[in-house]
Amino acid sequence: MQAYLGIDVGSVSTNLVLLDEGGEVLTSLYLRTRGNPIRAVQEGLACVEREIPARLSIAGVGTTGSGRQLAAAMVGADAVKNEITAHAVAALSQVPAVQTVLEIGGQDSKIIILRHGVVVDFAMNTVCAAGTGSFLDRQAARLGVPIEEFGGLAVKAANPVRIAGRCAVFAESDMIHKQQLGHPVEDIVAGLCQALVRNYLNNVAKGKEIRSPILFQGGVAANVGMRRAFEEALGRAVTVPAHHAVMGALGAAQLARRAVADGSPSRFQGFDVSRWRFQVASRSCSGCANQCEVVEIRAGDRVLARWGDRCGRWSLTGEAAGR
Amino acid sequence: MKVTFPHMGHIYIPLRAFFTALGVEVVVPPPVSRETLSLGTRYAPEFACLPLKVNVGNFLEAARKGADTVVMAGGVGPCRFGYYAQVEQEILRDLGVNLRMVVLEPPQGHWRELWQGLRDITGGAGLREIWRAGRLAWRKLTVLDELEHEVHRARAQEGERGATTRAWQRILDQVDEAGSVPEVEEAARRGKVLLKALPRREGEAPLRIGIVGEIYTVLEPAVNLELERVLGEMGAIVERSIYLSDWVKTNLVLHSLHLRDDREEYRLAAPYLGHFVGGHGLESISWTVRYARAGFDGVIQLAPLTCMPEIVAESILPKVSRDVGIPVLTFMLDEHASEVGVRTRLEAFCDLLCARRRQKEGGTAFAGVSRH
Ligand code: SF4
């Protein structure tokens, strides 16, 4: 039996998905990156290896996320794609008629507009922390509410408190203020969800035409309070797909399947990769006045990839990673 | 006297030629690097726009290399650029850096001041000398702009990644070294040969993307994170709404002779924006219309964060985009812009444009998966 592996390396989480030939999810994994993407990818591979049946072979691998180049060099990827396209591909595979994808991940959030199965517009927020999963995590911790219960609590609120959601600093201090006024915690939690949604709609989705079907993906989509807040703000139903937390990896796996559809052999280096020793080094090139910061990844004495140069003198990523 | 000036794309080449021809010693600042930016952000006000910060970085780095005089353009119109030179002067003074600032205001009828400024720097050069130096500089500028069109074309189809960029660097150096107009022509001829000889990749027709926006972020690759090179290497031909030579022609020459003809700009922008908003805000609108009509696949708008004219344009562009049917992607850049984030969006934009094109051609589009 053949399977396709998708790896999504973000700054907060690293996700892996294994798809079977029919496009069904066999395994999915959600790991914390913890500032060490190499370790996260290796751990993920080791987990997948343990779980899969022996007769399963990996026919294709795809990577996405901000660490896609690094991951691609490590494992030998057949497809390397940006996370916007990967998320769109995954959304279409779950709901072919999807017209809007709302995505809130740990570190950034995005909106993707599709019409007739094609991405026609998108926006991505990478600066404002008030619209991300990490912010929600931190506030949950501050309120002493486990993040898993956060959403359930929000749904119980009778009178959501209005919280200023313009930016993380404002939201945080306003929330503390409301807490001190003695509002019940569920009202604060619900208010926080609404503030996050307002922030998202004003900063990320601004000016975009949101049409149904609407998919809500990313780690934050598990939060029923957030889904409810979106539905109230938009006045329309919002669907959370089953694999909402690993959609990037799912898309990457599908892209890998496409990449080898012509029968070409996979570049996958095998699960041994989880036991290799990788070194990443960067140095500044003195070849010309640009002084590029060139990053190099090695396994033993083999150079797997280099990137960061403007002139192409050093980079091997194109060949090594099969863009 | 050792003269320096801010970087903006390859403007250093004609400027060096101009002053050198007038017998003035020139110190070109080191290329804009992370160091330049960190110097600039340390000493410029936080809410100043990015170009000002980079300018300050350039000046400080040039001072380290021995420059003692800065030549800076002034500006007019409802945009902060008009104050740059003054603010920069204050910053340098506060830092106790020994740099004299000579501000050349765009003439707009005040030829006397420009003339005075130039005489000041050159120690009293005559009209004929200035004319000759200007002619050499102008030829370098136009030659480079012409060749850059070719570079954009070649890069989108290069057979070996980076080959075009390396050839372009050689061309820049050769034009820089040329000491007379015939030498410039010779360098241009060799440059064309060099670009023609580059190995090409076959395949579908490259995407065509138009770049609009604020002049500095459009022209300086170090602040737009090498957008044109990155797009080229993804297989897209870029064309800019602004080339320096055009800008000099309209703003310095035609405008000052009151011959500037911007009826076309106004006409195309008129359904959306009826008046001048400073900078290139109006042009961003009219060029988007123009690119759509010329069959381009997409448009990218570039501006420094908080740039007023471009914010006006940004808020109007979604409507323009819908009306004329061309996708537009905006980047507001500051010193925090990350290469990874910009790259991700550029890749996704190319995917989107490819899928759109394929769908138009009646093919099957798989959620915008391109060959990039
Ligand atoms: S990598 Fe290339 S462009 Fe960068 S500093 Fe070295 S020679 Fe120059």
Side-chain angles (χ1 to χ4, degrees):
Chain A
M1 199 172 58
Q2 298 205 314
Y4 305 93
L5 180 64
I7 308 176
D8 177 357
V9 184
S11 51
V12 175
S13 71
T14 295
N15 310 318
L16 288 88
V17 161
L18 202 59
L19 283 187
D20 71 9
E21 269 154 294
E24 291 300 312
V25 175
L26 293 171
T27 312
S28 76
L29 269 181
Y30 184 98
L31 302 162
R32 297 257 154 207
T33 308
R34 291 185 214 282
N36 192 342
I38 294 184
R39 254 248 305 285
V41 170
Q42 287 186 307
E43 262 175 44
L45 282 177
C47 281
V48 172
E49 187 184 17
R50 259 180 267 128
E51 279 183 33
I52 58 169
R55 3 167 230 102
L56 193 96
S57 72
I58 302 291
V61 182
T63 64
T64 187
S66 53
R68 60 187 175 278
Q69 263 186 329
L70 178 72
M74 284 176 66
V75 302
D78 305 297
V80 186
K81 266 289 162 192
N82 63 85
E83 51 272 37
I84 296 163
T85 302
H87 269 279
V89 167
L92 282 167
S93 75
Q94 305 300 300
V95 178
V98 61
Q99 298 211 75
T100 309
V101 175
L102 317 171
E103 200 263 351
I104 303 186
Q107 209 46 247
D108 49 42
S109 47
K110 46 185 148 330
I111 183 167
I112 307 170
I113 305 292
L114 302 106
R115 298 291 180 256
H116 313 293
V118 169
V119 177
V120 294
D121 199 6
F122 63 85
M124 193 177 178
N125 164 23
T126 46
V127 218
C128 176
T132 67
S134 302
F135 176 69
L136 208 57
D137 283 353
R138 213 175 60 232
Q139 300 319 319
R142 173 195 297 289
L143 292 167
V145 181
I147 187 72
E148 301 76 32
E149 291 168 24
F150 205 82
L153 214 54
V155 179
K156 287 198 205 107
N159 299 300
V161 171
R162 187 172 170 99
I163 290 171
R166 180 178 301 278
C167 94
V169 180
F170 277 105
E172 200 159 295
S173 63
D174 196 28
M175 201 190 80
I176 293 170
H177 176 64
K178 299 282 151 64
Q179 231 180 321
Q180 285 163 343
L181 290 177
H183 288 282
V185 71
E186 55 266 30
D187 287 352
I188 295 180
V189 166
L192 204 57
C193 290
Q194 290 176 351
L196 227 77
V197 164
R198 255 198 325 273
N199 176 293
Y200 176 94
L201 293 176
N202 292 335
N203 291 329
V204 186
K206 73 166 174 230
K208 310 254 180 277
E209 198 192 349
I210 297 178
R211 288 195 202 158
S212 305
I214 305 166
L215 280 193
F216 179 21
Q217 337 187 132
V220 171
N223 190 309
V224 285
M226 284 297 294
R227 189 180 118 197
R228 168 80 70 89
F230 265 123
E231 291 188 323
E232 281 169 9
L234 297 171
R236 259 171 298 174
V238 168
T239 310
V240 175
H243 305 287
H244 60 85
V246 294
M247 294 295 268
L250 201 157
Q254 258 146 358
L255 287 160
R257 187 163 75 146
R258 292 283 303 191
V260 296
D262 59 357
S264 49
S266 175
R267 300 165 199 247
F268 184 47
Q269 314 258 18
F271 285 102
D272 274 354
V273 165
S274 67
R275 290 174 286 276
W276 287 6
R277 289 177 64 89
F278 291 98
Q279 291 102 35
V280 176
S282 71
R283 66 201 160 80
S284 117
C285 171
S286 48
C288 79
N290 283 328
Q291 303 193 5
C292 301
E293 192 72 14
V294 182
V295 182
E296 178 179 284
I297 174 165
R298 291 166 165 272
D301 51 9
R302 202 153 59 95
V303 178
L304 296 179
R306 287 198 204 96
W307 57 82
D309 55 338
R310 292 185 201 176
C311 65
R313 161 176 174 165
W314 299 106
S315 35
L316 294 164
T317 39
E319 295 78 354
R323 297 193 274 164
Chain B
M1 184 158 48
K2 291 183 179 173
V3 164
T4 193
F5 35 74
H7 269 298
M8 182 164 82
H10 48 248
I11 197 174
Y12 71 95
I13 293 174
L15 282 181
R16 168 159 37 208
F18 181 71
F19 289 115
T20 308
L22 289 170
V24 179
E25 203 180 329
V26 172
V27 176
V28 175
V32 180
S33 64
R34 206 152 299 167
E35 168 70 3
T36 317
L37 207 55
S38 77
L39 272 176
T41 46
R42 185 163 348 138
Y43 298 117
E46 189 187 348
F47 293 106
C49 34
L50 189 59
L52 185 139
K53 297 178 186 178
V54 182
N55 285 176
V56 169
N58 286 154
F59 300 157
L60 293 175
E61 284 186 314
R64 284 180 190 164
K65 285 178 67 181
D68 55 29
T69 305
V70 171
V71 181
M72 177 69 196
V76 283
C79 163
R80 284 177 282 178
F81 180 72
Y83 302 116
Y84 272 21
Q86 277 70 31
V87 174
E88 287 163 1
Q89 205 158 19
E90 290 297 317
I91 294 171
L92 294 174
R93 192 174 298 147
D94 286 351
L95 286 173
V97 176
N98 213 359
L99 276 177
R100 192 168 71 102
M101 191 111 156
V102 181
V103 184
L104 301 181
E105 299 284 348
Q108 308 218 327
H110 307 288
W111 285 98
R112 239 202 140 74
E113 274 173 40
L114 183 67
W115 175 241
Q116 266 311 324
L118 282 178
R119 283 185 61 98
D120 199 18
I121 300 163
T122 56
L127 189 54
R128 181 175 309 159
E129 285 169 274
I130 292 184
W131 176 255
R132 263 218 305 272
R135 211 167 65 103
L136 177 64
W138 174 248
R139 193 61 194 126
K140 288 195 178 193
L141 187 59
T142 45
V143 153
L144 289 175
D145 280 353
E146 271 167 45
L147 281 161
E148 202 168 16
H149 275 103
E150 309 281 322
V151 167
H152 288 153
R153 218 143 266 181
R155 194 186 274 128
Q157 290 175 294
E158 65 187 4
E160 182 202 335
R161 188 175 167 256
T164 317
T165 304
R166 285 194 293 271
W168 179 222
Q169 190 56 54
R170 274 207 14 224
I171 295 170
L172 288 170
D173 291 344
Q174 283 172 359
V175 173
D176 194 14
E177 277 153 27
S180 63
V181 173
E183 278 176 43
V184 176
E185 308 296 353
E186 175 58 18
R189 198 191 53 76
R190 267 182 304 178
K192 279 189 191 131
V193 173
L194 193 61
L195 290 173
K196 280 243 166 58
L198 291 173
R200 283 184 163 227
R201 168 171 54 81
E202 298 300 321
E204 19 177 343
L207 292 172
R208 286 200 302 159
I209 299 177
I211 314 275
V212 303
E214 183 273 337
I215 183 165
Y216 186 81
T217 34
V218 169
L219 291 179
E220 177 50 55
V223 307
N224 63 36
L225 305 174
E226 311 249 343
L227 180 107
E228 293 179 344
R229 177 180 61 80
V230 172
L231 281 172
E233 286 172 4
M234 287 180 188
I237 296 176
V238 292
E239 235 162 80
R240 293 188 209 132
S241 55
I242 307 165
Y243 282 86
L244 247 181
S245 50
D246 297 333
W247 186 84
V248 171
K249 225 183 307 181
T250 47
N251 286 277
L252 294 187
V253 186
L254 298 181
H255 208 151
S256 58
L257 300 172
H258 302 287
L259 287 175
R260 180 174 158 169
D261 182 9
D262 35 25
R263 268 171 303 185
E264 179 76 356
E265 299 292 347
Y266 277 84
R267 197 176 55 76
L268 290 176
Y272 309 97
L273 179 62
H275 52 89
F276 181 63
V277 291
H280 291 84
L282 191 101
E283 281 91 337
S284 290
I285 306 279
S286 58
W287 274 94
T288 301
V289 176
R290 208 174 284 189
Y291 284 133
R293 292 196 183 156
F296 276 60
D297 296 281
V299 167
I300 292 179
Q301 182 201 16
L302 291 175
L305 189 73
T306 75
C307 167
M308 192 274 283
E310 295 301 328
I311 289 174
V312 173
E314 188 200 7
S315 63
I316 298 171
L317 280 172
K319 173 145 175 53
V320 182
S321 159
R322 268 197 302 277
D323 284 4
V324 297
I326 194 165
V328 179
L329 178 68
T330 294
F331 286 105
M332 292 280 172
L333 299 158
D334 69 359
E335 65 270 25
H336 304 297
S338 92
E339 216 161 313
V340 184
V342 169
R343 208 192 157 88
T344 294
R345 275 171 272 194
L346 289 179
E347 279 181 19
F349 193 59
C350 285
D351 284 349
L352 177 166
L353 299 181
C354 274
R356 215 171 156 265
R357 188 190 262 189
R358 254 175 250 164
Q359 204 179 42
K360 260 196 206 153
E361 288 164 357
T364 48
F366 180 63
V369 178
S370 67
R371 71 202 136 83
H372 310 294

